[in-house]
Amino acid sequence: MAKFATLSFNDKSIELPLIEGSENELGVDIKSIRTETNLITLDPGFKNTGSCQSAITFLDGEKGVLRYRGYDIEDLATNADFLEVAFLLIFGELPNQEQLEKFLTDIKEESYIDEDLKKILESFPSAAHPMGVLSSLTSALTAFNPTSVNVEIEEDMYKAIVRIMGKLPVLVAWVFRKKAGLPLKYGDYSLGYVENIARMMFRKPNKEYVANPVVDAALNKLLILHADHEQNCSTSTVRIVGSSHAGLFASISAGISALWGPLHGGANQAVVEMLEAIRQDGGDTKKYMEKAKDKSDSFRLMGFGHRVYKNFDPRARIIKKAADEVLNDLGIVDPVLDIAKELEAEALRDPYFVERKLYPNVDFYSGIIYRAMGISTETFTVMFALGRLPGWIAQWREMRLNKEPIGRPRQIYIGENKRSFVPLNKR
Ligand code: ACO
């Protein structure tokens, strides 16, 4: 096989080296194009542009394959603990018992919040969206932990990592509890990472907390499924902010803001709101299918379609099954689950969706599970952020250890040519 691709321009031919990934994916290294030809490459939305070489997550969108560090997502979601997966993503290997215990102990050491940061949370209006609050508080962690900002060596990186792994669940639980009007309390650190998150979130002030293994297991699974997804919008944001050496907490805060959008992680909120609106409108799924296909209508079938998956999102398969199990186990009948299944069945046989390869994505069913657990719609994306945390950390760490250059795309300028300033009184 050729080791180069050839680009011809203005009677000049240049050879561009091919880069081969461990799953035989091929890329063209275009770094020399500008120096050799003065051309830049233009690819809005980075639809066909690789920003890095990464050893963390493998995704084959045509076949519907997703692996973290070589392990199938199905295998991890069925057998692993979220903290094991976090360790795997960040450090590259599944931990042994001793490594896992040390990781958990180090995280627990950091699982508290400065009381002044708590005051900031308390001063947000109760109508504030939890994602905006979480992003602000994560950014504020930078001010409260200055030694974790400009980290260069692995030891300092590790300290910053366990800090954010310890503090973000507390912030998530508190953001949720503030919205629900519940007191802001800490968890029980004798519990495991996920079990403690469930306790911090769901404990009521007027009764003894009793863990629900169904909820704990579902939460563990959802967090694993959300843990990484290679160079998506929020992860690319984390890497690009981190590339300026802005620090881990600022990078994660930017990632949370990127995740918030309804075209990305915010879709889980948008899906349940859409399903609820369809239910309240009489449950006519066909009417909404027609709206989704009508180009003059801005309505989209939320939770459908994906930039990379042109096949079933493997996470959606797992989550759909989990939604059935969790609702059954909790004895909840949620009519929006039936509406979701009806929409899915219709979309899978509709030529519009089939031709465009639009399948349910990770967000189509996840909100239904969160809702069954008692999590408010606006907090769904906060749960996604909590799950994505280890992925963002792993990608940030890889980028820093690889000493990647600052992210700085180019553009083709299409504005005015040079013109002279006209004073205000002459305009
Ligand atoms: N409903 C109806 N039509 C859709 C949908 C949808 N959900 N998604 C894509 N299409 C159509 C587009 O209108 C377009 O049609 P055209 O070729 O006739 O113009 C075609 O399918 C391709 O869509 P694009 O928007 O060009 O695809 P892109 O890769 O840019 O966008 C995205 C992917 C943003 C996920 C899109 O499918 C979408 O908006 N989905 C709904 C929001 C959503 O669920 N987001 C969560 C994604 S998963 C995650 O980020 C965690």
Side-chain angles (χ1 to χ4, degrees):
M1 190 189 64
K3 287 204 162 41
F4 297 92
T6 309
L7 175 79
S8 301
F9 175 68
N10 273 353
D11 300 332
K12 187 172 180 185
S13 240
I14 58 165
E15 287 186 330
L16 302 169
L18 293 185
I19 309 287
E20 188 172 3
S22 48
E23 292 284 342
N24 307 108
E25 288 174 308
L26 286 180
V28 184
D29 181 342
I30 58 166
K31 284 199 291 290
S32 64
I33 290 185
R34 189 171 160 80
T35 42
E36 297 282 339
T37 66
N38 221 22
L39 292 172
I40 70 150
T41 54
L42 187 63
D43 181 17
F46 309 116
K47 290 201 172 195
N48 193 36
T49 295
S51 58
C52 60
Q53 296 188 48
S54 177
I56 301 169
T57 289
F58 172 67
L59 201 170
D60 183 334
E62 309 299 325
K63 296 196 183 123
V65 171
L66 173 61
R67 292 188 205 124
Y68 298 162
R69 302 277 189 189
Y71 296 97
D72 277 328
I73 190 66
E74 291 83 0
D75 204 0
L76 294 170
T78 314
N79 299 309
D81 182 90
F82 175 61
L83 201 63
E84 285 179 275
V85 172
F87 189 99
L88 170 73
L89 283 167
I90 298 169
F91 303 112
E93 295 296 337
L94 282 167
N96 60 28
Q97 191 64 37
E98 196 185 321
Q99 289 169 320
L100 188 62
E101 273 166 24
K102 178 177 181 330
F103 193 40
L104 182 58
T105 307
D106 293 343
I107 288 171
K108 283 178 181 170
E109 275 296 306
E110 293 293 343
S111 302
Y112 65 92
I113 302 293
D114 191 300
E115 285 294 303
D116 285 337
L117 189 64
K118 196 177 187 181
K119 283 186 208 147
I120 300 179
L121 169 62
E122 281 163 347
S123 67
F124 275 99
S126 55
H129 193 286
M131 281 298 271
V133 178
L134 186 68
S135 167
S136 308
L137 296 178
T138 307
S139 186
L141 281 178
T142 303
F144 289 93
N145 300 275
T147 55
S148 285
V149 177
N150 211 353
V151 287
E152 297 288 341
I153 56 168
E154 279 212 55
E155 199 187 329
D156 293 342
M157 281 188 193
Y158 180 80
K159 280 191 197 136
I161 290 168
V162 293
R163 264 194 184 146
I164 191 86
M165 286 289 295
K167 295 183 195 307
L168 199 81
V170 182
L171 292 179
V172 164
W174 285 4
V175 165
F176 166 73
R177 292 181 73 87
K178 176 157 182 349
K179 194 89 192 154
L182 292 166
L184 310 182
K185 291 264 184 314
Y186 284 103
D188 171 351
Y189 295 102
S190 65
L191 296 175
Y193 191 74
V194 173
E195 292 76 10
N196 189 40
I197 292 171
R199 187 182 197 278
M200 280 196 289
M201 292 189 69
F202 303 126
R203 183 178 167 212
K204 294 275 158 43
N206 57 340
K207 53 177 146 171
E208 192 72 22
Y209 174 77
V210 182
N212 183 333
V214 175
V215 168
D216 288 357
L219 187 56
N220 186 62
K221 188 169 282 193
L222 283 168
L223 295 177
I224 291 175
L225 293 172
H226 283 141
D228 195 50
H229 212 237
E230 52 118 300
Q231 308 313 317
N232 55 80
C233 177
S234 56
T235 302
S236 300
T237 301
V238 168
R239 281 185 93 123
I240 208 159
V241 173
S243 76
S244 76
H245 298 193
L248 178 60
F249 305 155
S251 306
I252 301 284
S253 162
I256 293 171
S257 296
L259 189 73
W260 187 1
L263 297 190
H264 191 15
N268 56 12
Q269 174 179 343
V271 168
V272 170
E273 285 170 353
M274 173 190 78
L275 296 173
E276 195 51 59
I278 298 176
R279 188 184 71 81
Q280 282 171 17
D281 192 25
D284 184 357
T285 48
K286 293 203 171 54
K287 174 177 159 190
Y288 284 87
M289 287 292 290
E290 290 313 310
K291 274 167 76 63
K293 295 188 283 180
D294 180 357
K295 294 286 173 203
S296 65
D297 191 324
S298 62
F299 177 80
R300 277 195 165 196
L301 197 54
M302 299 312 286
F304 257 77
H306 197 274
R307 170 60 60 77
V308 186
Y309 289 120
K310 301 303 166 199
N311 199 324
F312 241 96
D313 180 337
R315 302 166 301 172
R317 268 190 223 282
I318 302 171
I319 291 186
K320 182 181 178 184
K321 192 161 164 272
D324 271 328
E325 288 164 3
V326 172
L327 268 65
N328 259 339
D329 287 347
L330 297 177
I332 293 173
V333 179
D334 190 340
V336 304
L337 180 59
D338 294 331
I339 293 176
K341 285 182 180 167
E342 224 170 288
L343 280 173
E344 180 190 328
E346 280 170 33
L348 292 180
R349 55 174 182 260
D350 189 300
Y352 174 97
F353 287 85
V354 173
E355 280 157 22
R356 288 170 180 76
K357 300 188 173 157
L358 301 170
Y359 291 87
N361 59 49
V362 67
D363 287 323
F364 196 59
Y365 288 102
S366 64
I368 296 174
I369 308 185
Y370 285 133
R371 178 161 131 135
M373 287 175 179
I375 296 175
S376 50
T377 316
E378 280 194 328
T379 314
F380 294 170
T381 318
V382 160
M383 301 311 291
F384 191 156
L386 184 59
R388 185 53 58 88
L389 178 65
W392 286 332
I393 295 172
Q395 301 273 350
W396 168 86
R397 181 174 176 272
E398 180 180 70
M399 182 265 310
R400 291 303 310 272
L401 291 178
N402 286 349
K403 301 202 183 311
E404 283 174 23
I406 186 166
R408 204 300 187 187
R410 286 184 178 268
Q411 63 164 21
I412 298 288
Y413 175 69
I414 55 165
E416 296 287 345
N417 293 116
K418 180 175 164 56
R419 45 187 177 163
S420 301
F421 179 76
V422 181
L424 186 57
N425 61 1
K426 300 246 166 73
R427 269 177 254 153

